[in-house]
Amino acid sequence: MKIIITVILYLANLEAFAFTTINCSHAELCKLVNLIARENKLSNLKTESLVNISGDPHEYEPSTLEIKNLMNAPLLITGPNELNPWIKKINSQRAKSANLKTISLLFNKDHLKAYPNASAEVLSHFWLYPKIYCSLKSQLEEDMKKNGFIITTKGTCDSKSIEEELQKVLSKIKTPIILTHDALLPLLLQLSPSTSITAIKGSGHHEETSSKSVKRMYDALKSPVAIWVIEAGINVPSNIKSKIRKNDITLTIDTANSKNENPFSVLTELTEKLKTQVPSKQ
């Protein structure tokens, strides 16, 4: 009986041994895989993001070589279609080949219901939304298990603590906040609905600054002091940036890249900068 069980386990996990590398359509997806691999001691598993985004991610188009690599990767993990608008067509083509496996992490109705006024493009920045992140992590753990990877533990994913800490800091801020783009907007508005928060650009692919967002920016600038959250890599017209006044507070963060596989490092950084660089008495 013990031999039979051993053979069954071997066959069940044989597929996993065939995959020593997981490719990803976005670097944050690879970081999520790395976290799961570390928690489950999958030391032989390697990840590689096949898309090297440079410049504004909302204006980026993959190169011919990147598309070819995405099409031919033996095992590819992709995120919500809104994260990479061009990935849907690639997934469709990959589905025609029985030799290729694709794990797609997609939104469910609860994700969208949690932020009813947010677009799917905004929420595709899943590493900025703790509840969505934890949900997708759980989904990926199950998908990896189904594909033969030995997932024996579900690591902790505490979405509550980081949100509570950020909420605590935001509750003390009375000054308007102006974001470079709206990736963080639904989360911040949910955590602090009484705070005046606006965004200059949207998260749609090739989306331009709208007249409505400019008007909201000018409304925010009616306050003697405003907090500007300048996000690295997001292209904002120079005439907009010229509106930053000497007495305004400027915080610079990189919302496109979490650090050291810490899923909430961007929110931690923002919390710390709001805490240390914004006067406690507004």
Side-chain angles (χ1 to χ4, degrees):
M1 179 64 72
K2 184 180 290 185
I3 294 175
I4 295 175
I5 294 174
T6 301
V7 171
I8 292 173
L9 290 174
Y10 172 76
L11 292 175
N13 292 291
L14 184 61
E15 191 174 36
F17 292 108
F19 295 112
T20 56
T21 299
I22 291 181
N23 295 121
C24 314
S25 62
H26 194 282
E28 290 300 325
L29 294 168
C30 276
K31 292 174 186 177
L32 181 53
V33 176
N34 289 337
L35 176 59
I36 294 172
R38 187 171 68 246
E39 291 173 343
N40 288 273
K41 297 181 172 57
L42 303 178
S43 57
N44 294 327
L45 180 60
K46 296 181 181 179
T47 61
E48 180 184 4
S49 178
L50 298 181
V51 180
N52 182 25
I53 296 177
S54 58
D56 192 324
H58 305 97
E59 300 174 5
Y60 186 80
E61 297 291 342
S63 67
T64 302
L65 178 59
E66 287 173 331
I67 292 175
K68 180 180 178 181
N69 290 336
L70 288 165
M71 292 287 292
N72 297 323
L75 176 57
L76 179 67
I77 294 184
T78 66
N81 293 328
E82 295 79 11
L83 178 62
N84 303 123
W86 31 263
I87 201 63
K88 189 173 182 180
K89 186 175 181 179
I90 290 173
N91 284 345
S92 178
Q93 291 298 316
R94 286 177 57 85
K96 298 177 182 179
S97 175
N99 297 324
L100 303 178
K101 284 193 172 292
T102 306
I103 296 176
S104 297
L105 300 182
L106 303 176
F107 288 135
N108 60 45
K109 60 181 181 180
D110 291 332
H111 298 150
L112 302 175
K113 189 176 179 180
Y115 304 93
N117 296 319
S119 67
E121 285 79 11
V122 174
L123 299 182
S124 68
H125 303 81
F126 64 90
W127 59 96
L128 302 179
Y129 291 82
K131 293 184 181 69
I132 293 179
Y133 179 93
C134 290
S135 176
L136 292 181
K137 179 175 183 287
S138 179
Q139 179 185 330
L140 181 55
E141 288 167 339
E142 291 300 319
D143 286 337
M144 289 177 67
K145 187 184 296 184
K146 290 176 183 177
N147 281 276
F149 292 95
I150 305 173
I151 306 299
T152 57
T153 181
K154 288 190 175 183
T156 58
C157 194
D158 182 9
S159 63
K160 187 176 180 181
S161 297
I162 182 62
E163 288 194 3
E164 287 181 344
E165 183 63 22
L166 180 54
Q167 185 176 44
K168 182 179 178 181
V169 174
L170 288 171
S171 68
K172 299 177 181 179
I173 295 176
K174 306 304 179 185
T175 298
I177 298 175
I178 302 173
L179 306 170
T180 307
H181 88 306
D182 63 0
L184 282 165
L185 187 60
L187 177 68
L188 299 188
L189 287 175
Q190 186 180 84
L191 295 178
S192 186
S194 63
T195 303
S196 173
I197 309 173
T198 189
I200 295 171
K201 292 184 69 175
S203 291
H205 212 49
H206 298 295
E207 185 171 340
E208 298 292 337
T209 304
S210 69
S211 57
K212 288 183 178 180
S213 64
V214 172
K215 182 182 184 302
R216 287 193 293 266
M217 178 196 72
Y218 277 112
D219 288 340
L221 291 176
K222 292 177 182 178
S223 172
V225 178
I227 300 169
W228 294 76
V229 178
I230 306 298
E231 300 163 79
I234 303 299
N235 292 332
V236 176
S238 56
N239 64 319
I240 297 293
K241 285 189 174 181
S242 68
K243 301 300 185 292
I244 300 176
R245 302 162 298 187
K246 290 183 179 180
N247 59 324
D248 285 342
I249 300 166
T250 303
L251 309 179
T252 302
I253 61 173
D254 186 356
T255 52
N257 295 289
S258 58
K259 300 179 177 63
N260 301 321
E261 293 167 18
N262 175 354
F264 310 132
S265 63
V266 175
L267 298 182
T268 299
E269 181 183 2
L270 176 62
T271 300
E272 288 304 311
K273 288 191 173 184
L274 287 171
K275 189 186 301 181
T276 60
Q277 298 183 34
V278 177
S280 57
K281 292 182 179 180
Q282 303 297 335

